[in-house]
Amino acid sequence: MFKETALSGQTTFFQKLRSLDYILLVCILILGVISSLAMYATDGGELLYHTKSHVLRFIIFFIMMFVLSFLNIRFWHATGYFFYIIVLGLLIWASLYGITASGSQRWVDLYFINLQPSELMKIAIIVCFAKFYHRAQINQINNFKNLLVPMMILILPILLVVSQPDLGTSILIALSGIIVLWLAGINLKYFIYSGLFLLISLPFVIAFLKPYQKLRILTFFNPDKDPLGAGYQIIQSKIAIGSGGLTGKGFLKGTQGYLEFLPEKHTDFIFTLFSEEHGFIGSLALLFIYGVIIYRVIDIGKNARSFFGKLFCFGFASSIFVFITVNMSMVLGLLPIVGSPLPIMSYGGSSMLATMIGFSIVMSTKIYQKQLIA
Amino acid sequence: MFDGGGDSGYKKLSTVNRRMFVMTAAKLVIFGGIITRLFTLQINENKKYLTLSDKNRLREWRLPPERGDFEDYFGNKIASNLKVYQLHVVPEQVEDFRYLMIRLRDILDIDSQTFKKILKRKDQQKPWETLIISEKLSWDQFAKINFYLHELSGAKPVLSVARNYPYDEKFTHLLGYVAQASEKDLIENEVIKKKHVPGLRVGKIGLEKTYENQLIGSNGIQRYEVNAYGKRINQIDFVEGRKGTNIRLTVDTKIQTQCNELLKDKAGSICVMDIYTGELIAMHSSPSFDPNLFLYGISHENWNAILTNPKKPLINRSIQGLYPPGSTIKPIVALSALENDVISTKFKVNCTGKTEMYGQTYHCWKDTGHGIVNLRDALKVSCDTFFYEMSRRLGVDRLNITAKKFGLGEKVFNGTYNEEKEGLIPSTQWKKNALGRGWVLGETLIAGIGQGYMQTTPLQLCLMTAQLANGGFKIKPKIIYDKKSDSYEKIKAEMEKNRIELLSQLQQEDPLVEFSLERKKSDTKLYKPLYRNQENVKFVLEAMFASTNEVRGTSYSSRISDKKYQFAGKTGTSQVKKITEIQRELDLDISQIPYKERDHALFVAFGPYVNPRYALSVFVEHGGSGSSAAAPLAKKLFKTIVDRHEEREKIREKSLMEI
């Protein structure tokens, strides 16, 4: 065992290249192709702006992910807090000078890209917690100080994102964080306590919701009440998916897609259009690919020696799973509509960038799986 | 050995591994749930959703927005909308498109070229987008279509609105015109792009283009439930569109119409302006063309007729036409000389018909000469020799400053008309920069009679005259009526205040506030004096009065003796070509000179002479002399202008009451 440790730092580039996780890489590539075709179909079978920029982004960010994979896992560990602070700074920047679009101030203008820092926060929070618990002793995890600090780390970005206002993303950040906290070993009772506390304070939270958000939650419970207004999206989405059947209507043959009935058809509702054209079998295939990706990430985590790498992989796999399920449940009418993209599939540069950074940390964990971090 | 160390590290690892296992199990269950849901929707309830998808499709149609009107000062519509019948087909809703098209071709008698165009357009748009077969059905066609409608399933006669210019060619250059939105329009203007529907008309030039975003209005929206074939089942929602803003102008249709008549069969321009409020009363450029022709795509013959017309109807001469101002610049030259103390009003020159300077002969327009003339006479009879001598002493740079102060060589409506030209008032510096050569003194002489490099638009001359006639104060020309803009009384009071202020400043003789003849930033301030000594302005105005109302004045034959209509003016005849010695000898009659080589005729005037309110400029391209071709038009126009004044005042009082 000591010998292996000594050797691990000395691998050549060729060895690193060989130790990449090719199943994961291939799955991401397949997802990229599927998403580009789905984007093309959503654009009405024409090579329009959304498709072109989605393909371009995928290529750029995939290459970036590949290159970043060779960074030593120690680098990610060393910069863990820094990464979080940068993204937090961007969030504050967005709330002060951000670009406002459709009533929400989410974007910062970085000249070459309009970045949505809240998407990056989904990853940054995992890196930050992984670093925090890498150091912490198991018997100290549940003491007061070690509960308070992560609490602050989690609540700060959530408040910033809620105030944008962007309820969907803030819920997803919260879920990512909470999952990592639980994995790290925080006592279950604290989750139960805060769950109860949340339930009690729910009426007050609802009082603070924007009218359109209340409407969305109400329509979720009864979409048929307002079929042309807020329930429109849910009904249309269900019709599209349901009419897809076993094998779907065929590529570019979707009828609901071109009706312009969904304002976010390139982003949150991309699965709707995919499922309509490719049916139950296509949807299962897509779920399978996602399943393989999640399985690979968990497996890499299992084999990692550093607690940092392990916790990150577990956390990342879980949050990807959450993003996928929240998005799908939403378009399937199982959850109210809150803005949440489908990783890699949905249109949106910041979400893709964040996911790719996550994958590169996972790859790095794989390459340096025997590496220990002091 | 594991990081974190020892037993604690081991415990930490086992915790995370155990919890991850629980988590993975939960994931499998949730994935299972999603798959079940997918299965329910796509397999179990597939039939239900398939029918919903087929039968319950919602479609949205955007209707063309209704464009805002243009009104004149009195509220008459000068550009409005007309109800027209159009024939629409939505290809997706038609079972046999080819059959329908052939039937329609026979019924409407569509020629093969147009027919091909329609088919081509069909291929370019989406099957559920409306295909416009005919933009404007004649009554006859409309009746026929309705008669056969039961066999023409899929064709829809639709009541729509289209732009209409009731005064045909009379306001064309002032308003501009609309035509079908092009690719370029969509790229250049976000608003048009957002509101675009097939067949949308947008402003192409003039006010129609400049005020596009106010005029365009908003789309109406119809939402229909449609079946699998796209046939509308019932209307679910209708959002009514909002008509664009109506824009009221300061122009008077009566006067504008008369301008049209006066310039009939001629090339030229007439501009009329209120000398205090700067309101444009009329602005016409001749020849004009009918903007209604452009609405449905202008026909080949009509377009060719416009393009090949030697008088070039597409040019808006009032703001785009650059011509040497000729003698109409003389009031400014005289004023500049007086203001700069170059000469006194008593200065005299002996005119013998020509003068030798710098080895060149400069001719006066009168071969026999005017004899001994003073400044007043020189303006009255437009003696060139006097002005050669005076401008030699003045120099071109000082003339440049005065001319620019009074509005020459600068855009009058900055930004309102894209096509407006700046013109040119030369200076020594300009020539060095633009031509790279030094100024020649001889060029100063011809600049003094408005020839050479100098180029102005007819509208600039009108503004110049207005700013002289109001006593020498800066005004802001405008064409859009604004209730809140300053009233005549307020402007007059403001000017009087500024006059007294300047006077007291000069009397104090404080070297710090000494009035500068240089052009300064403060010159752009409204209602500020443009002079140093108002007596100089008054002198020039009086000389212009003499030019029209005293015997031997150049526009004496166009005078009106009735005090109510009496006006003062200055003629101008600008040369297009240098006159050779031989031509001078021949002294040809105008009809003997080729059209392109004939002189331009100009006339600027203001009136009524007692308490003036209006200024105008008349320009007739290749019209001959200013006194014979331009001044008589002003005479006819002035009667109308003064008569209409009372009507205008009534409107003004009424709007004052409203505030």
Side-chain angles (χ1 to χ4, degrees):
Chain A
M1 267 206 161
F2 280 100
K3 265 185 194 168
E4 281 175 26
T5 329
L7 280 171
S8 63
Q10 307 290 321
T11 43
T12 60
F13 176 72
F14 188 65
Q15 283 171 306
K16 285 180 192 168
L17 201 61
R18 261 207 317 211
S19 60
L20 276 173
D21 195 311
Y22 286 98
I23 299 177
L24 185 54
L25 272 184
V26 168
C27 282
I28 295 171
L29 274 177
I30 292 174
L31 217 49
V33 173
I34 292 177
S35 66
S36 302
L37 290 175
M39 212 56 74
Y40 177 71
T42 312
D43 268 345
E46 282 173 87
L47 205 55
L48 298 182
Y49 174 77
H50 283 104
T51 316
K52 281 186 207 160
S53 91
H54 183 81
V55 171
L56 192 70
R57 279 173 186 166
F58 181 78
I59 292 170
I60 290 172
F61 290 145
F62 186 81
I63 292 169
M64 180 206 75
M65 186 268 286
F66 191 80
V67 173
L68 288 184
S69 298
F70 295 99
L71 278 177
N72 196 311
I73 185 72
R74 281 180 175 165
F75 168 81
W76 293 109
H77 177 261
T79 53
Y81 291 153
F82 185 63
F83 185 31
Y84 171 81
I85 287 165
I86 294 255
V87 179
L88 195 68
L90 285 171
L91 271 178
I92 294 167
W93 179 267
S95 72
L96 294 177
Y97 312 107
I99 304 163
T100 308
S102 50
S104 175
Q105 199 170 350
R106 295 178 193 181
W107 288 271
V108 286
D109 185 1
L110 294 181
Y111 298 102
F112 58 97
I113 185 174
N114 279 346
L115 196 70
Q116 197 182 336
S118 52
E119 288 289 341
L120 286 180
M121 188 45 93
K122 291 178 182 170
I123 299 303
I125 198 93
I126 305 173
V127 179
C128 184
F129 279 160
K131 173 160 179 160
F132 185 86
Y133 288 106
H134 176 74
R135 283 280 172 84
Q137 300 285 327
I138 185 75
N139 46 2
Q140 290 168 354
I141 279 176
N142 286 309
N143 74 18
F144 182 69
K145 188 197 136 206
N146 281 347
L147 284 175
L148 190 70
V149 174
M151 203 68 161
M152 296 306 294
I153 290 175
L154 185 57
I155 283 177
L156 220 58
I158 291 175
L159 286 181
L160 282 169
V161 177
V162 165
S163 69
Q164 283 179 346
D166 184 354
L167 189 64
T169 313
S170 61
I171 289 174
L172 292 177
I173 293 173
L175 284 174
S176 298
I178 288 168
I179 287 169
V180 182
L181 289 180
W182 183 68
L183 287 174
I186 287 184
N187 206 323
L188 194 65
K189 67 180 179 197
Y190 294 117
F191 293 98
I192 296 170
Y193 292 160
S194 32
L196 284 175
F197 173 74
L198 209 68
L199 214 62
I200 296 162
S201 59
L202 204 60
F204 303 99
V205 174
I206 285 174
F208 278 105
L209 288 178
K210 300 269 165 196
Y212 81 92
Q213 288 167 334
K214 276 188 215 167
L215 195 65
R216 276 182 176 181
I217 293 169
L218 287 177
T219 16
F220 163 67
F221 290 113
N222 190 3
D224 301 306
K225 209 175 125 196
D226 183 13
L228 283 172
Y232 188 59
Q233 294 187 349
I234 299 177
I235 293 175
Q236 292 301 329
S237 178
K238 273 159 72 179
I239 292 176
I241 294 171
S243 63
L246 183 67
T247 54
K249 293 176 183 167
F251 185 53
L252 300 183
K253 299 236 170 70
T255 55
Q256 300 288 302
Y258 64 36
L259 300 186
E260 314 282 334
F261 68 92
L262 296 167
E264 286 124 11
K265 59 180 182 174
H266 291 97
T267 53
D268 293 355
F269 287 90
I270 191 82
F271 180 69
T272 306
L273 292 131
F274 175 83
S275 191
E276 183 192 8
E277 293 192 346
H278 304 287
F280 185 62
I281 291 175
S283 308
L284 276 189
L286 188 68
L287 273 176
F288 177 74
I289 293 167
Y290 276 124
V292 172
I293 288 175
I294 291 168
Y295 164 73
R296 281 314 307 155
V297 177
I298 292 173
D299 199 50
I300 290 169
K302 265 187 191 158
N303 292 323
R305 272 197 171 177
S306 65
F307 190 75
F308 171 78
K310 189 183 287 286
L311 191 55
F312 178 82
C313 288
F314 287 174
F316 182 61
S318 307
S319 48
I320 288 210
F321 168 80
V322 169
F323 302 156
I324 294 166
T325 37
V326 168
N327 178 279
M328 288 194 178
S329 312
M330 191 177 86
V331 301
L332 288 168
L334 294 168
L335 280 179
I337 293 179
V338 288
S340 73
L342 193 57
I344 308 286
M345 283 289 282
S346 282
Y347 180 80
S350 306
S351 160
M352 174 113 67
L353 176 66
T355 316
M356 288 299 194
I357 290 176
F359 280 129
S360 60
I361 302 177
V362 171
M363 282 297 177
S364 166
T365 312
K366 170 87 201 283
I367 296 174
Y368 299 97
Q369 58 177 323
K370 296 197 174 85
Q371 183 99 42
L372 288 179
I373 303 168
Chain B
M1 130 137 212
F2 286 107
D3 41 330
D7 192 36
S8 155
Y10 177 75
K11 226 178 136 191
K12 203 159 124 185
L13 277 181
S14 71
T15 311
V16 75
N17 282 333
R18 196 179 60 239
R19 291 199 169 178
M20 194 60 221
F21 179 76
V22 176
M23 181 75 86
T24 311
K27 279 177 193 169
L28 286 176
V29 173
I30 295 173
F31 257 7
I34 286 182
I35 291 169
T36 316
R37 176 67 168 182
L38 271 171
F39 189 84
T40 321
L41 286 180
Q42 298 195 302
I43 309 294
N44 286 352
E45 297 179 3
N46 176 242
K47 274 222 171 102
K48 169 183 150 195
Y49 286 113
L50 210 54
T51 28
L52 276 176
S53 145
D54 276 350
K55 284 196 175 163
N56 227 353
R57 295 197 281 183
L58 296 173
R59 290 273 161 107
E60 193 178 276
W61 275 271
R62 285 197 300 169
L63 307 173
E66 191 179 349
R67 207 171 169 78
D69 298 337
F70 277 111
E71 292 166 358
D72 77 350
Y73 191 83
F74 301 92
N76 300 317
K77 305 267 180 212
I78 52 178
S80 56
N81 298 301
L82 212 61
K83 289 198 162 36
V84 289
Y85 289 101
Q86 299 189 329
L87 188 67
H88 292 183
V89 167
V90 179
E92 190 192 55
Q93 299 172 6
V94 183
E95 274 152 61
D96 191 346
F97 184 76
R98 278 200 68 81
Y99 169 78
L100 175 69
M101 284 307 293
I102 289 163
R103 286 284 288 150
L104 286 177
R105 188 182 62 186
D106 296 341
I107 295 169
L108 296 179
D109 209 15
I110 302 171
D111 62 71
S112 62
Q113 210 181 344
T114 325
F115 188 70
K116 264 185 207 150
K117 263 192 207 159
I118 294 171
L119 291 181
K120 207 175 144 199
R121 223 173 41 230
K122 185 222 163 198
D123 292 336
Q124 285 164 353
Q125 56 187 47
K126 305 250 149 105
W128 62 91
E129 276 179 345
T130 306
L131 182 67
I132 299 169
I133 305 293
S134 169
E135 307 246 33
K136 194 179 179 185
L137 292 172
S138 65
W139 179 246
D140 199 35
Q141 286 174 321
F142 182 68
K144 253 175 157 176
I145 286 285
N146 276 317
F147 183 76
Y148 290 111
L149 201 58
H150 63 281
E151 320 173 12
L152 301 170
S153 117
K156 267 184 312 184
V158 176
L159 188 62
S160 184
V161 284
R163 199 58 158 171
N164 179 43
Y165 299 99
Y167 292 95
D168 300 333
E169 78 288 345
K170 294 199 171 61
F171 285 96
T172 309
H173 290 299
L174 197 143
L175 290 177
Y177 57 85
V178 298
Q180 194 146 358
S182 67
E183 198 90 7
K184 206 169 139 241
D185 293 321
L186 296 183
I187 292 166
E188 283 173 359
N189 190 334
E190 272 298 309
V191 177
I192 295 177
K193 196 177 165 189
K194 243 165 62 193
K195 300 184 172 177
H196 185 255
V197 290
L200 180 72
R201 262 58 179 173
V202 295
K204 291 288 176 178
I205 200 166
L207 297 180
E208 288 271 30
K209 187 180 170 85
T210 312
Y211 292 96
E212 180 67 50
N213 295 359
Q214 282 102 296
L215 288 167
I216 194 166
S218 64
N219 303 88
I221 292 169
Q222 283 178 322
R223 286 203 184 90
Y224 278 95
E225 213 172 334
V226 294
N227 67 8
Y229 300 100
K231 241 188 200 126
R232 300 179 189 195
I233 296 168
N234 60 358
Q235 183 171 318
I236 287 176
D237 199 8
F238 177 66
V239 182
E240 206 165 336
R242 214 166 17 78
K243 188 181 171 179
T245 320
N246 288 351
I247 295 181
R248 189 165 152 197
L249 305 179
T250 58
V251 295
D252 183 338
T253 304
K254 259 234 163 97
I255 298 171
Q256 179 80 11
T257 308
Q258 196 181 8
C259 293
N260 270 268
E261 282 157 12
L262 291 172
L263 287 176
K264 207 173 178 196
D265 302 325
K266 296 184 181 104
S269 153
I270 298 181
C271 304
V272 186
M273 192 184 280
D274 185 311
I275 62 172
Y276 290 99
T277 62
E279 287 172 342
L280 202 74
I281 311 296
M283 181 169 82
H284 176 59
S285 169
S286 177
S288 187
F289 55 90
D290 185 356
N292 293 313
L293 292 176
F294 284 83
L295 284 175
Y296 305 104
I298 188 164
S299 75
H300 223 59
E301 302 120 65
N302 282 333
W303 180 235
N304 266 339
I306 289 174
L307 274 187
T308 55
N309 187 335
K311 286 179 178 158
K312 301 207 163 53
L314 288 174
I315 297 173
N316 184 354
R317 288 176 167 76
S318 313
I319 56 170
Q320 250 182 318
L322 294 178
Y323 310 96
S327 300
T328 54
I329 192 87
K330 280 178 183 167
I332 287 294
V333 182
L335 182 67
S336 187
L338 289 173
E339 285 276 289
N340 286 292
D341 292 323
V342 172
I343 55 156
S344 80
T345 52
K346 297 190 179 66
F347 177 72
K348 286 189 181 70
V349 167
N350 184 12
C351 169
T352 56
K354 59 181 169 187
T355 174
E356 296 272 342
M357 266 186 246
Y358 316 115
Q360 269 232 301
T361 312
Y362 294 92
H363 292 268
C364 182
W365 66 269
K366 196 170 176 189
D367 297 335
T368 52
H370 290 100
I372 293 175
V373 284
N374 62 17
L375 179 57
R376 187 176 183 276
D377 292 333
L379 269 170
K380 179 176 143 188
V381 299
S382 200
C383 174
D384 292 336
T385 314
F386 185 96
F387 276 86
Y388 291 143
E389 178 56 23
M390 191 168 65
S391 50
R392 186 180 70 80
R393 294 176 180 219
L394 175 63
V396 70
D397 288 333
R398 287 193 281 195
L399 170 60
N400 173 287
I401 290 166
T402 313
K404 284 207 160 163
K405 261 191 191 178
F406 278 82
L408 301 181
E410 267 170 20
K411 287 183 182 176
V412 176
F413 287 120
N414 203 2
T416 306
Y417 289 95
N418 287 335
E419 63 272 28
E420 182 168 3
K421 292 240 169 87
E422 209 165 45
L424 174 66
I425 301 297
S427 66
T428 50
Q429 191 61 44
W430 163 80
K431 194 179 171 190
K432 211 174 276 166
N433 291 346
L435 303 179
R437 272 176 281 141
W439 186 262
V440 181
L441 280 167
E443 289 167 348
T444 304
L445 303 195
I446 55 170
I449 60 161
Q451 294 282 160
Y453 298 116
M454 201 179 278
Q455 288 197 311
T456 56
T457 65
L459 184 63
Q460 285 171 356
L461 291 178
C462 182
L463 176 62
M464 172 197 90
T465 315
Q467 294 189 139
L468 278 174
N470 65 23
F473 296 93
K474 176 92 191 164
I475 57 167
K476 184 171 166 49
K478 57 167 177 273
I479 194 163
I480 308 294
Y481 175 83
D482 182 3
K483 244 201 223 175
K484 279 175 274 179
S485 65
D486 297 335
S487 69
Y488 160 68
E489 288 81 8
K490 201 183 152 200
I491 293 169
K492 203 138 191 209
E494 185 80 7
M495 285 176 175
E496 184 61 18
K497 203 186 92 203
N498 290 336
R499 186 183 72 84
I500 292 165
E501 197 179 300
L502 174 65
L503 216 58
S504 69
Q505 272 176 18
L506 289 172
Q507 271 167 0
Q508 279 169 2
E509 282 181 39
D510 185 342
L512 286 174
V513 291
E514 198 181 340
F515 187 86
S516 166
L517 287 162
E518 298 286 306
R519 246 165 77 84
K520 287 185 303 185
K521 273 257 165 68
S522 63
D523 288 347
T524 53
K525 276 207 182 133
L526 268 184
Y527 316 134
K528 285 280 179 199
L530 299 166
Y531 55 81
R532 186 186 54 159
N533 182 355
Q534 203 181 23
E535 290 308 312
N536 295 333
V537 178
K538 284 189 177 151
F539 178 87
V540 169
L541 295 179
E542 208 272 326
M544 285 171 81
F545 175 77
S547 173
T548 308
N549 297 292
E550 283 178 16
V551 187
R552 293 206 298 131
T554 47
S555 48
Y556 181 66
S557 56
S558 301
R559 76 194 177 280
I560 305 176
S561 39
D562 184 346
K563 277 261 183 307
K564 190 182 169 196
Y565 302 108
Q566 199 170 37
F567 64 94
K570 180 73 200 81
T571 55
T573 308
S574 72
Q575 271 168 236
V576 181
K577 229 182 132 188
K578 204 173 154 83
I579 303 175
T580 60
E581 284 306 314
I582 302 160
Q583 280 168 326
R584 208 173 284 280
E585 293 293 310
L586 285 171
D587 195 16
L588 293 169
D589 189 70
I590 182 162
S591 56
Q592 292 167 285
I593 308 172
Y595 177 77
K596 281 273 175 200
E597 293 176 14
R598 290 178 201 166
D599 294 338
H600 296 319
L602 297 101
F603 187 61
V604 295
F606 63 92
Y609 184 69
V610 187
N611 201 4
R613 282 302 300 272
Y614 299 100
L616 60 77
S617 72
V618 178
F619 166 78
V620 183
E621 195 170 288
H622 304 301
S625 84
S627 60
S628 65
L633 304 186
K635 179 186 178 178
K636 285 179 199 157
L637 196 57
F638 243 108
K639 274 217 155 107
T640 324
I641 294 173
V642 175
D643 284 339
R644 293 291 287 173
H645 178 68
E646 275 165 41
E647 299 287 319
R648 236 181 140 75
E649 287 294 285
K650 269 187 214 155
I651 294 282
R652 197 166 70 86
E653 276 157 28
K654 225 169 94 189
S655 72
L656 281 177
M657 302 273 280
E658 280 165 20
I659 301 170

